[in-house]
Amino acid sequence: MKIVIGCDHAGFGIKDAVIKHIEEMGHEVVDVGTYSADSCHYPVYASAACKKILDGECALGILICGTGIGMSMAANKHKGIRAACCSDVFSARLTREHNDANMLCFGERVVGIGTALDLVDAFLGAEYLNNGNHVTRVAMLADIEKSN
Ligand code: RB5
């Protein structure tokens, strides 16, 4: 798969290790920045990453900031993006399986590098359970987007 990754300054400290891990899993990574620890604004990088998914270049994405929350809020403003902010492995797997999440967000200030890599494994290793009520509910999310 082709995976897009983005971060702000508060996620920059673990971004390279996350990229290396994803590449070792056999995936290709598109890095939309930020490229230094200088203070920056997370919505810029959330948007850049979301565009890569929405234009079809990348299948899934990872966004890292201090908490993961700002990134997930910004990402979820994009129609067609289903971003989940996770700090536990169970949620990272289930959000792929049940919510068809296409963006995983987490916070460098919340999770250590070990948990970050486990979150990535769980998210990228899971598949959407494309049936029954899951399909109905994900379609309902799209309906909410259309009505707003
Ligand atoms: C930056 O200080 C921090 O606010 C940001 O990385 C993120 O945690 C926001 O949700």
Side-chain angles (χ1 to χ4, degrees), residues 50-68:
C50 289
K51 281 180 189 136
K52 296 286 183 190
I53 293 176
L54 295 173
D55 71 12
E57 184 182 339
C58 295
L60 297 172
I62 312 278
L63 289 168
I64 315 166
C65 62
T67 59

Side-chain angles (χ1 to χ4, degrees), residues 8-10 42 65-71 109:
D8 70 356
H9 57 286
Y42 57 81
C65 62
T67 59
I69 296 170
M71 283 293 197
R109 294 171 181 166

Side-chain angles (χ1 to χ4, degrees), residues 134-147:
H134 302 308
V135 172
T136 302
R137 292 163 187 155
V138 171
M140 289 169 75
L141 296 178
D143 287 344
I144 293 171
E145 277 181 345
K146 279 186 208 126
S147 67

Side-chain angles (χ1 to χ4, degrees), residues 34-138:
T34 186
Y35 304 111
S36 82
D38 295 344
S39 183
C40 62
H41 303 306
Y42 57 81
V44 172
Y45 303 95
S47 283
C50 289
K51 281 180 189 136
K52 296 286 183 190
I53 293 176
L54 295 173
D55 71 12
E57 184 182 339
C58 295
L60 297 172
I62 312 278
L63 289 168
I64 315 166
C65 62
T67 59
I69 296 170
M71 283 293 197
S72 61
M73 287 182 171
N76 279 320
K77 299 292 182 193
H78 296 76
K79 286 197 164 91
I81 295 295
R82 290 173 300 281
C85 181
C86 297
S87 54
D88 70 276
V89 168
F90 179 75
S91 299
R93 176 169 65 84
L94 267 285
T95 199
R96 278 293 298 132
E97 292 182 352
H98 288 200
N99 314 124
D100 197 17
N102 48 14
M103 192 71 85
L104 171 69
C105 307
F106 51 82
E108 181 184 341
R109 294 171 181 166
V110 179
V111 299
I113 184 62
T115 298
L117 301 187
D118 282 354
L119 293 172
V120 169
D121 286 344
F123 185 74
L124 298 185
E127 281 185 26
Y128 177 45
L129 302 173
N130 193 5
N131 56 45
N133 276 333
H134 302 308
V135 172
T136 302
R137 292 163 187 155
V138 171

